[in-house]
Amino acid sequence: MKFLMYILGIIFSIIVIMSMFFPFVETYTKMDKLSDPYYFLVLGMDTVDINRKVSRTDSILLVGVSEKKNKVLVLPIPRDLLVTIDNNTMRINAVYVKYGIEKLQELIQNIFKVKISDYLIFDYGLFKEIGDIYSPVKIYVPKDMYYEDFHQNLHINFKQGYNYLSGEELLYYARFRYDALGDLGRIQRQKDVLFALMNAAKNSGLSKILYSIDKVLNRTVNSFDFKKLFSLFLVSKKSEIKFLSLPIEVVGNYVKIDTDRIKYMEKYLVEFEEPEENKKIWITLINNMPDFKLSFYTVMRNKWKGSYGYLIEIVDILPDIEGILRNKSYLIIKNKKYEKKIMNEIKNRYSKFVFEVIDIQKNPELYFSIIEFLSNNSYNTLNSDVIMLVGDNS
């Protein structure tokens, strides 16, 4: 009898376990694969009714996902970013309300050269509801935060250090905006909350995940279905999550995209590999022609005209250095990673000149003599990647 009860207990346990996991297995086997890479927008609205579109978007996130690279890239876009649509210049946080999600999606696609497949629009009350599922959620507060607003029912009193927050406290933390960093500080706090919730979800059981997905689908305006959101979770769960910073310039109360660095961000978002930033190569040109009748400065400027990617410094002071022959051309490449590029550039711009390469390792005395000459004449030698002494030895 005991043996029979034991067998029945095992069978019952198996049935219970199968009943719990069968829906999951069935859903997983029918899961649609996300495109790779896959991009979507997340918009946060500081309002109680996201369907009415009465409030501007308080936060905008571009999210990129790559299962092949095991990475999730999250790029917060400042709400005060200036953009132009139909010859109208406005803050980006006004685009959704005035033109709709399709226009905002098109705008962001054009800026970052990616195809955005989906969107999700939420109000900040969702932070509270999702936070309650995973609470207490661990957040590091960088400094004491205190604020009381009885009109908005907003009560904040967090101490510096690690805090374990309820869903409501997470909402307060994300909405806090009374610090010196303004919008950028608020973006950082929203990143903190999102990152903390993502980590909490990664370490949670299946039931909480399924409940969270259902909550997100029913509490937001979105283009997702359950299978796609669950696929997104499965990919994100095993991926490195990286928050990016948009290269911007602050202009008064607005911000503009730093056009010199935006290509770096575009490359990062497309390739999911952090590229070497488009740092300009600093070239110091020194006049080594005592009998040159023209303006060395003007001639060198014209020689390097259209030199995108280079920072040109011109020194029109003849060097008096032992080991340096007048009218001879010398080349020092301090940063070896630019060697191939520089040699090709010199070949194109100085086809009649022959440059003697000074090897810093083999001839440090001569190199430091040149550095001393530049320093004595108040030239910065720390940032230069290449030093060229230009003679007339054609």
Side-chain angles (χ1 to χ4, degrees):
M1 186 66 179
K2 287 184 178 180
F3 179 74
L4 179 60
M5 294 298 293
Y6 176 71
I7 295 298
L8 288 174
I10 292 176
I11 293 173
F12 180 74
S13 299
I14 292 172
I15 291 172
V16 171
I17 292 171
M18 288 181 64
S19 67
M20 290 173 60
F21 284 95
F22 180 74
F24 164 73
V25 173
E26 185 180 33
T27 300
Y28 182 77
T29 54
K30 294 181 179 178
M31 201 66 63
D32 294 333
K33 292 285 287 184
L34 298 174
S35 58
D36 199 333
Y38 166 76
Y39 302 93
F40 65 97
L41 281 181
V42 178
L43 308 183
M45 306 286 287
D46 196 6
T47 179
V48 295
D49 188 353
I50 53 178
N51 292 287
R52 292 178 60 198
K53 295 199 306 185
V54 295
S55 176
R56 297 184 177 189
T57 43
D58 202 49
S59 61
I60 303 172
L61 303 175
L62 172 61
V63 184
V65 180
S66 174
E67 186 174 9
K68 294 176 183 176
K69 298 292 182 68
N70 288 323
K71 288 182 182 176
V72 176
L73 302 180
V74 183
L75 176 64
I77 301 174
R79 62 179 185 166
D80 293 329
L81 179 69
L82 286 182
V83 294
T84 300
I85 295 182
D86 299 337
N87 296 321
N88 294 322
T89 299
M90 65 182 71
R91 295 179 180 180
I92 197 169
N93 68 336
V95 175
Y96 169 65
V97 174
K98 185 170 184 178
Y99 293 100
I101 186 62
E102 290 80 11
K103 196 72 171 179
L104 178 61
Q105 187 170 309
E106 179 186 344
L107 173 70
I108 295 176
Q109 284 184 155
N110 292 336
I111 293 175
F112 298 106
K113 309 297 188 292
V114 298
K115 182 182 183 301
I116 299 172
S117 300
D118 290 293
Y119 62 85
L120 186 149
I121 306 167
F122 70 96
D123 68 77
Y124 282 114
L126 187 64
F127 276 156
K128 176 185 181 303
E129 296 185 34
I130 300 298
D132 282 339
I133 297 173
Y134 299 106
S135 66
V137 178
K138 186 178 180 181
I139 287 280
Y140 180 80
V141 178
K143 60 182 180 179
D144 290 352
M145 297 171 60
Y146 179 80
Y147 180 72
E148 293 277 358
D149 188 332
F150 291 95
H151 178 69
Q152 297 188 58
N153 194 29
L154 186 59
H155 311 283
I156 295 173
N157 187 13
F158 303 133
K159 300 300 181 184
Q160 181 182 17
Y162 284 105
N163 288 247
Y164 293 84
L165 307 183
S166 66
E168 188 171 37
E169 289 170 329
L170 277 177
L171 173 60
Y172 293 163
Y173 182 78
R175 292 180 64 195
F176 184 82
R177 63 181 73 198
Y178 300 93
D179 69 355
L181 294 177
D183 190 39
L184 298 179
R186 188 178 51 83
I187 286 176
Q188 180 60 50
R189 284 185 291 280
Q190 291 172 5
K191 285 164 55 178
D192 293 343
V193 171
L194 288 171
F195 193 73
L197 288 175
M198 287 176 182
N199 277 336
K202 282 185 176 183
N203 300 313
S204 293
L206 181 61
S207 60
K208 285 188 177 182
I209 300 303
L210 299 179
Y211 183 54
S212 299
I213 291 174
D214 184 66
K215 180 73 71 174
V216 169
L217 284 172
N218 291 296
R219 279 280 284 106
T220 63
V221 173
N222 64 81
S223 60
F224 289 93
D225 58 23
F226 183 89
K227 291 192 294 183
K228 188 175 285 187
L229 266 185
F230 194 71
S231 293
L232 184 59
F233 168 74
L234 291 177
V235 173
S236 302
K237 182 178 176 64
K238 60 183 180 181
S239 298
E240 175 191 5
I241 300 172
K242 182 85 172 179
F243 284 91
L244 310 183
S245 296
L246 182 66
I248 58 172
E249 301 175 80
V250 179
V251 182
N253 295 325
Y254 307 96
V255 295
K256 296 174 64 177
I257 289 178
D258 185 339
T259 54
D260 289 335
R261 298 180 59 218
I262 190 61
K263 290 187 180 299
Y264 162 81
M265 184 60 61
E266 292 170 2
K267 188 176 178 67
Y268 200 160
L269 284 167
V270 169
E271 298 181 0
F272 283 77
E273 297 291 343
E274 186 169 8
E276 181 184 342
E277 193 167 351
N278 283 334
K279 171 186 176 297
K280 290 188 176 182
I281 301 174
W282 186 323
I283 299 179
T284 299
L285 299 167
I286 303 174
N287 183 7
N288 197 32
M289 297 181 286
D291 300 320
F292 193 57
K293 305 300 182 183
L294 303 174
S295 166
F296 181 77
Y297 184 91
T298 302
V299 171
M300 290 302 109
R301 276 293 172 199
N302 288 334
K303 181 75 73 174
W304 287 87
K305 188 176 181 180
S307 54
Y308 177 79
Y310 295 95
L311 180 62
I312 305 301
E313 178 183 49
I314 299 174
V315 181
D316 197 2
I317 303 173
L318 290 172
D320 185 11
I321 301 170
E322 185 177 353
I324 296 296
L325 301 179
R326 293 288 171 86
N327 283 318
K328 187 172 181 178
S329 299
Y330 298 88
L331 174 65
I332 300 172
I333 302 177
K334 292 171 60 180
N335 198 329
K336 290 297 183 182
K337 66 182 177 182
Y338 300 133
E339 184 170 7
K340 184 177 180 180
K341 183 176 182 179
I342 289 297
M343 295 304 289
N344 288 334
E345 200 71 49
I346 289 174
K347 183 178 179 181
N348 292 332
R349 296 179 186 272
Y350 298 91
S351 57
K352 297 181 180 180
F353 281 42
V354 177
F355 285 83
E356 179 181 322
V357 177
I358 298 175
D359 190 310
I360 297 175
Q361 301 297 325
K362 294 180 179 179
N363 199 347
E365 294 83 4
L366 184 56
Y367 165 70
F368 284 113
S369 295
I370 295 171
I371 293 298
E372 183 181 11
F373 155 74
L374 290 171
S375 298
N376 290 340
N377 287 281
S378 302
Y379 285 95
N380 181 359
T381 62
L382 295 176
N383 296 325
S384 60
D385 300 298
V386 179
I387 299 174
M388 295 170 57
L389 287 84
V390 183
D392 187 16
N393 56 347
S394 57

